Amino acid sequence: MSNPDALLVAVATKVESEQSNQMSLTVVAGGAVITGRLAPEAVWRQRVAEVLTDSARLGPFSGIFRATEPGRRPDEHEPPTHLHFHVARILQGSTGIPETGGMYRVAIKDVSAWTVGDFSYSDH
């Protein structure tokens, strides 16, 4: 079991406390490079719930993501254990998947490298 990076936990804690979604971050987790902006967990959960609600097949799962009060993490008295990315892409060569950005939840303990900022990519 790896120890989470204390500095990365501090970044995630700041995102949670400020309820800000402006922190850009790039991480390596499980060999994948993920780049995008961090969101507070409650904001991320709400957005995922909205996307699921709009789906005829996946709508019943939306309640799982709304299981907490708006604006609160389920375990808000503990340091964050996950990073919640929105407008994020998994970088694969010169392309980002998905092109429009997606919603990813990454365990902080699984992050092997990280840097502030997000990487742009180009098909040119």
Side-chain angles (χ1 to χ4, degrees), residues 16 39-46 72-75 84 105:
E16 291 292 339
E41 182 176 350
V43 172
W44 183 88
R45 283 174 171 259
Q46 182 62 35
R72 297 187 65 192
R73 287 188 307 123
D75 55 353
H84 295 86
R105 176 177 161 111

Side-chain angles (χ1 to χ4, degrees), residues 1-67:
M1 187 106 164
S2 65
N3 292 327
D5 181 324
L7 187 54
L8 188 54
V9 170
V11 169
T13 300
K14 185 71 170 173
V15 168
E16 291 292 339
S17 69
E18 298 291 324
Q19 292 293 297
S20 168
N21 62 358
Q22 298 304 306
M23 182 61 180
S24 295
L25 197 71
T26 299
V27 300
V28 177
V33 177
I34 301 169
T35 190
R37 286 194 320 222
L38 294 179
E41 182 176 350
V43 172
W44 183 88
R45 283 174 171 259
Q46 182 62 35
R47 180 64 185 124
V48 171
E50 290 168 3
V51 170
L52 293 174
T53 298
D54 292 342
S55 169
R57 291 179 308 151
L58 301 176
F61 292 95
S62 66
I64 295 169
F65 292 89
R66 287 192 174 107

Side-chain angles (χ1 to χ4, degrees), residues 99-123:
E99 286 183 15
T100 57
M103 308 286 285
Y104 297 102
R105 176 177 161 111
V106 178
I108 293 172
K109 69 177 182 60
D110 293 338
V111 173
S112 59
W114 62 278
T115 189
V116 172
D118 61 347
F119 283 98
S120 298
Y121 60 93
S122 171
D123 293 330

